[in-house]
Amino acid sequence: LIMNDMAPWVQNPASISRVADICTGSGCLAILAALHFPNSKVDAVDLSPEALEVARMNVDMYGIADRLKLYQGDLMAPLLGQQYDLIISNPPYVDAPSMQSLPAEYRHEPEMALAGGNDGLDLVHTLLRQAAATLKPGGWLVVEIGHNRDVMEATYPDLPLVWLDTAGGRDFVFLIDQASLQKLN
């Protein structure tokens, strides 16, 4: 996901003041967001203390610790009560059958970084509801879900998901606005 992929929806990057990156891992998306949205404060969350150690090194390397804060926690739990213009996430999304047949090179990754439950969307189901409560009016949620577009659309047929063009194709990352997410609650 490149921040420019959101250009039709976020036309003025300077207008974005609060960004959250959920399941930040190494912090790469949070860092990209901080660099692309120059007036933003970015909060990045991950469950793994080890991932957050790597993220801290990366944030320090870019010299943006004054604008990018790291939190340990489950999805948006440490951020509930906050309000964001943009929430981005690349959560674990490998479904259970695919986890069983992963090639050896993927088995070096921690399982929690890959496994997304039976349908691959366990974390996404929760994230949708948390984002509905924490996005500012007019805000956006952007989530990478791998090869789960069909499952996502079947599970949420009434959500007006916008599928972004990315280097990998147009079936992997969706965008949805705050007003549409309010219909879930």
Side-chain angles (χ1 to χ4, degrees):
L1 172 67
I2 305 297
M3 297 303 155
N4 290 335
D5 294 334
M6 294 182 286
W9 299 275
V10 180
Q11 295 180 1
N12 180 6
S15 70
I16 302 296
S17 63
R18 298 288 311 273
V19 178
D21 176 19
I22 309 307
C23 301
T24 196
S26 68
C28 61
L29 286 180
I31 292 166
L32 281 172
L35 297 174
H36 187 75
F37 303 113
N39 298 324
S40 68
K41 296 277 187 194
V42 179
D43 293 333
V45 181
D46 204 283
L47 191 57
S48 166
E50 295 82 10
L52 288 170
E53 285 178 35
V54 173
R56 168 59 53 213
M57 288 186 284
N58 290 333
V59 168
D60 290 346
M61 184 172 61
Y62 278 88
I64 53 174
D66 60 324
R67 294 189 19 221
L68 200 162
K69 188 168 182 184
L70 300 172
Y71 295 87
Q72 182 180 0
D74 190 10
L75 295 174
M76 295 196 73
L79 308 179
L80 295 177
Q82 301 292 316
Q83 292 286 286
Y84 295 92
D85 299 299
L86 179 65
I87 300 170
I88 55 179
S89 184
N90 183 2
Y93 53 70
V94 180
D95 64 25
S98 297
M99 282 298 293
Q100 299 302 315
S101 61
L102 280 177
E105 60 267 21
Y106 288 95
R107 298 198 184 276
H108 298 290
E109 292 290 324
E111 184 173 329
M112 73 180 293
L114 301 171
N118 286 336
D119 65 359
L121 299 175
D122 279 5
L123 298 176
V124 175
H125 300 308
T126 302
L127 183 58
L128 290 171
R129 284 163 180 74
Q130 289 177 334
T134 55
L135 279 170
K136 293 178 183 177
W140 297 96
L141 171 66
V142 181
V143 182
E144 180 173 346
I145 61 166
H147 296 280
N148 295 322
R149 179 176 178 167
D150 291 344
V151 174
M152 186 71 189
E153 289 179 334
T155 305
Y156 299 101
D158 297 328
L159 282 185
L161 302 171
V162 175
W163 295 93
L164 300 178
D165 284 322
T166 65
R170 125 166 243 129
D171 294 332
F172 308 110
V173 178
F174 71 81
L175 175 142
I176 188 165
D177 66 296
Q178 177 267 349
S180 296
L181 287 173
Q182 292 300 308
K183 298 171 187 169
L184 290 174
N185 292 330

